[in-house]
Amino acid sequence: KVRFSVWDMEDRPLTVDTFRISFYDLDTGPHSKSTEYIIADNGDPSFHLTEDTQLKETHVQGHLEFLASERGSAKDNPHESKSLTNLQKQRSAVLAYKDTHSFDLTMGASKGHSPRGFMFALHSALACHDVKAAITTTLTTTTLTTTTLTTTTLTTTTHTKETPEAAAQRLRNEAGDDTPIICIVGATESQSADSEALVKAIAPQLDEEIGSRAKFVTEGTVGVPETFAENCGDGSHVWNLVPSGESSGFAQGADINAGENAEERQEIFGLVGDIYVTVEGDGEVSQTAKAAHARGATVIPLMRTGGASD
């Protein structure tokens, strides 16, 4: 839950005639998990949606709620709060509060496999209005990590983009200096039942023999990565790298944010591992393996599976 309050420059409460806040990119994760929602806990705001909105307007204990209905990814996230595609408008909601100093909103998501990000700006994303309060605005991303009440100050925030090298180092630090990181690289669709059976056989063996001393990392995609993650013991030693705001949808393993899109995730994946085990694969698998080998990582291709691993 987040509390928005308006104060003047001398730290005195300020009541504004109209306060508008826009929420962007309200979507779901794979298999309708991690469904995002916004609840107006008080203040009785009016609201604005597009005619072809993808959001469901409901009420929770008398409070207005907007619930996502369609799956999204980092690729369709907005980058400018006043320049939206039609799809981005369909996933946006504008709330308007009259004669207000403070109001509470709940940002949440249903059960899923990864943190969810929330974007908002303090103006209307869907229509032009006269703004009577001078408020500096920015497109702000908030990651849901707690249900406690947070007070938000209405000032511009600058976000420093994490480089792939810094992200890889962050992951190595989280794994621990003495913990080897073993990356599982493979095709998004197995080319043969033999390859899939091989992955299902080696995943539990690796977990049993070295799982307590290592961290297994996948790219969080379907195919070989998903097969490995869901057969690697109870999944407690598996990380699935996913772009920010996305989830793998895997039944096992912990989703870890890495990069803002699939390309950045792949670059980080190629930098983080000590050992890379490749299964089948195409040009992307070959590219990842070559980059890892060039920086001194060990690459173990399962040649019998063919493709880039041959």
Side-chain angles (χ1 to χ4, degrees):
K1 180 180 289 189
V2 178
R3 173 166 294 165
F4 293 85
S5 301
V6 187
W7 306 81
D8 66 16
M9 296 301 293
E10 297 181 0
D11 214 22
R12 295 174 300 193
L14 179 66
T15 297
V16 294
D17 294 337
T18 303
F19 188 111
R20 292 184 179 87
I21 181 168
S22 298
F23 287 92
Y24 305 83
D25 195 46
L26 297 174
D27 54 25
T28 77
H31 313 301
S32 298
K33 295 181 179 179
S34 301
T35 298
E36 295 177 338
Y37 58 83
I38 302 294
I39 300 176
D41 295 302
N42 52 33
D44 192 25
S46 59
F47 63 90
H48 187 177
L49 306 173
T50 63
E51 291 184 359
D52 56 350
T53 183
Q54 293 184 359
L55 306 183
K56 298 177 181 178
E57 175 203 346
T58 63
H59 287 80
V60 177
Q61 296 181 345
H63 301 307
L64 183 65
E65 177 188 42
F66 298 101
L67 185 70
S69 66
E70 298 292 333
R71 178 179 176 178
S73 71
K75 293 181 180 180
D76 52 45
N77 288 355
H79 297 286
E80 296 291 338
S81 62
K82 293 184 179 180
S83 179
L84 304 178
T85 66
N86 186 58
L87 175 63
Q88 291 165 351
K89 290 179 180 179
Q90 292 172 343
R91 296 176 178 176
S92 299
V94 181
L95 276 64
Y97 293 82
K98 294 291 186 180
D99 300 320
T100 189
H101 156 64
S102 178
F103 57 88
D104 298 338
L105 289 167
T106 295
M107 308 178 208
S110 63
K111 185 177 180 181
H113 296 281
S114 68
R116 302 294 287 170
F118 289 85
M119 297 181 177
F120 58 87
L122 306 182
H123 60 74
S124 174
L126 304 179
C128 295
H129 299 281
D130 293 327
V131 179
K132 299 182 179 180
I135 300 175
T136 302
T137 68
T138 185
L139 181 62
T140 304
T141 301
T142 299
T143 300
L144 181 67
T145 57
T146 179
T147 57
T148 58
L149 182 64
T150 303
T151 299
T152 298
T153 303
L154 306 182
T155 55
T156 300
T157 303
T158 301
H159 299 277
T160 302
K161 181 178 174 61
E162 186 179 45
T163 65
E165 292 78 11
Q169 185 59 55
R170 167 175 58 83
L171 294 174
R172 286 194 292 269
N173 292 341
E174 290 182 17
D177 294 336
D178 299 326
T179 302
I181 294 179
I182 303 173
C183 293
I184 309 302
V185 195
T188 55
E189 183 176 353
S190 294
Q191 301 302 307
S192 71
D194 181 64
S195 296
E196 184 176 359
L198 179 61
V199 174
K200 288 182 177 180
I202 66 173
Q205 291 181 24
L206 286 173
D207 181 70
E208 182 178 353
E209 294 181 12
I210 61 173
S212 61
R213 307 189 305 276
K215 186 68 69 176
F216 301 106
V217 178
T218 82
E219 285 191 272
T221 57
V222 296
V224 170
E226 183 175 16
T227 300
F228 182 91
E230 297 192 348
N231 289 275
C232 188
D234 62 0
S236 60
H237 304 131
V238 178
W239 282 354
N240 304 310
L241 298 193
V242 293
S244 179
E246 294 191 28
S247 65
S248 66
F250 293 179
Q252 291 195 158
D255 283 0
I256 304 295
N257 287 153
E260 295 183 357
N261 51 52
E263 290 74 20
E264 291 184 6
R265 184 266 312 279
Q266 183 183 2
E267 184 175 358
I268 295 166
F269 186 70
L271 292 170
V272 73
D274 299 297
I275 300 172
Y276 288 76
V277 179
T278 69
V279 182
E280 297 183 338
D282 51 15
E284 288 188 2
V285 171
S286 178
Q287 180 181 345
T288 298
K290 288 178 180 178
H293 182 265
R295 63 175 179 80
T298 299
V299 178
I300 304 175
L302 301 185
M303 298 179 65
R304 62 177 279 188
T305 62
S309 299
D310 192 351

